[in-house]
Amino acid sequence: ETGVTQSPTHLIKTRGQQVTLRCSSQSGHNTVSWYQQALGQGPQFIFQYYREEENGRGNFPPRFSGLQFPNYSSELNVNALELDDSALYLCASRPGPEAYGYTFGSGTRLTVV
Amino acid sequence: EDQVTQSPEALRLQEGESSSLNCSYTVSGLRGLFWYRQDPGKGPEFLFTLYSAGEEKEKERLKATLTKKESFLHITAPKPEDSATYLCAVTTSGNTPLVFGKGTRLSVIA
């Protein structure tokens, strides 16, 4: 049973640029959530995808968007990067939209300069 | 608004010195409380889920307990490898996202 895989592990971008982060969910998991974790803070919910549709969203602007593919993998896209977007981005998958068994990936460390 | 507060922010223990981490929560109908361990630069690693007041769960040197207002993570005779940030999170239903606290950064010194 494979876990949640995220890529890339680290990324440096310039303010104003766009970035795409990728996540492969754990085998058998059809629901993917994305979280942003700033340094010294707890993870903050960005959005969740189930059956290729957004199924819940946190307090993040529209320049944060996502996709889920038929194989349940997912992407997080951020446009017009700001310095405050620098954070660890975590992907978590679970067996269904109401299941409690979250599995987190190791995250992508994004630095915006 | 659901809130989770963890204390202390940081804790430094000598090896073998037992202690407890606190997670207090304010939610409209708790469905589950989760404890995670997070190593630097890594994703959270699941430890426990607690569902109702009075419930307790144990794993090696860790024991989690739950009341109607807070949860404790007790660490008995910690070792240096227990050094990590411990995160607490809550959910009010299966389809609502996890709400995390800021975590407690634990350092265990040999």
Side-chain angles (χ1 to χ4, degrees):
Chain A
E1 178 180 279
T2 59
V4 175
T5 305
Q6 292 188 243
S7 62
T9 54
H10 297 85
L11 202 53
I12 299 175
K13 288 288 190 178
T14 302
R15 189 172 51 183
Q17 284 188 317
Q18 178 266 343
V19 69
T20 298
L21 310 182
R22 294 178 174 84
C23 171
S24 294
S25 59
Q26 180 168 317
S27 176
H29 287 191
N30 59 18
T31 303
V32 175
S33 302
W34 286 90
Y35 288 79
Q36 179 196 66
Q37 187 176 23
L39 203 60
Q41 303 295 314
Q44 298 289 315
F45 174 70
I46 303 174
F47 45 57
Q48 175 177 280
Y49 276 82
Y50 171 62
R51 291 186 174 178
E52 302 175 54
E53 292 197 1
E54 188 178 291
N55 183 30
R57 188 176 185 93
N59 189 26
F60 280 81
R63 60 189 185 84
F64 286 78
S65 63
L67 283 173
Q68 186 182 33
F69 301 99
N71 66 354
Y72 308 132
S73 65
S74 177
E75 287 182 354
L76 164 66
N77 299 289
V78 187
N79 293 322
L81 284 167
E82 300 176 0
L83 297 180
D84 285 348
D85 295 333
S86 297
L88 181 68
Y89 287 85
L90 296 165
C91 172
S93 72
R94 51 180 173 157
E98 300 201 5
Y100 292 127
Y102 291 83
T103 301
F104 282 85
S106 291
T108 293
R109 170 68 65 188
L110 173 65
T111 302
V112 182
V113 298
Chain B
E1 182 180 328
D2 299 338
Q3 288 191 329
V4 177
T5 303
Q6 293 188 245
S7 62
E9 290 186 8
L11 183 62
R12 187 181 173 97
L13 299 173
Q14 293 292 321
E15 184 173 4
E17 179 186 3
S18 301
S19 188
S20 295
L21 312 182
N22 177 263
C23 170
S24 62
Y25 59 90
T26 305
V27 298
S28 53
L30 179 73
R31 294 297 298 275
L33 184 142
F34 303 79
W35 282 99
Y36 289 88
R37 170 193 169 124
Q38 187 175 28
D39 293 304
K42 301 294 185 183
E45 175 189 343
F46 173 77
L47 293 173
F48 304 108
T49 307
L50 302 168
Y51 295 102
S52 57
E55 190 173 359
E56 299 182 352
K57 288 192 177 174
E58 288 189 65
K59 179 181 179 180
E60 297 180 355
R61 295 178 292 283
L62 301 176
K63 178 180 177 180
T65 62
L66 180 65
T67 72
K68 289 186 178 179
K69 293 183 178 180
E70 58 192 349
S71 176
F72 292 93
L73 184 65
H74 308 277
I75 303 177
T76 303
K79 299 181 178 182
E81 54 262 41
D82 294 323
S83 297
T85 294
Y86 290 85
L87 294 166
C88 173
V90 299
T91 186
T92 55
S93 77
N95 199 32
T96 55
L98 296 177
V99 176
F100 282 87
K102 292 184 178 181
T104 293
R105 191 171 63 255
L106 174 66
S107 299
V108 182
I109 311 302

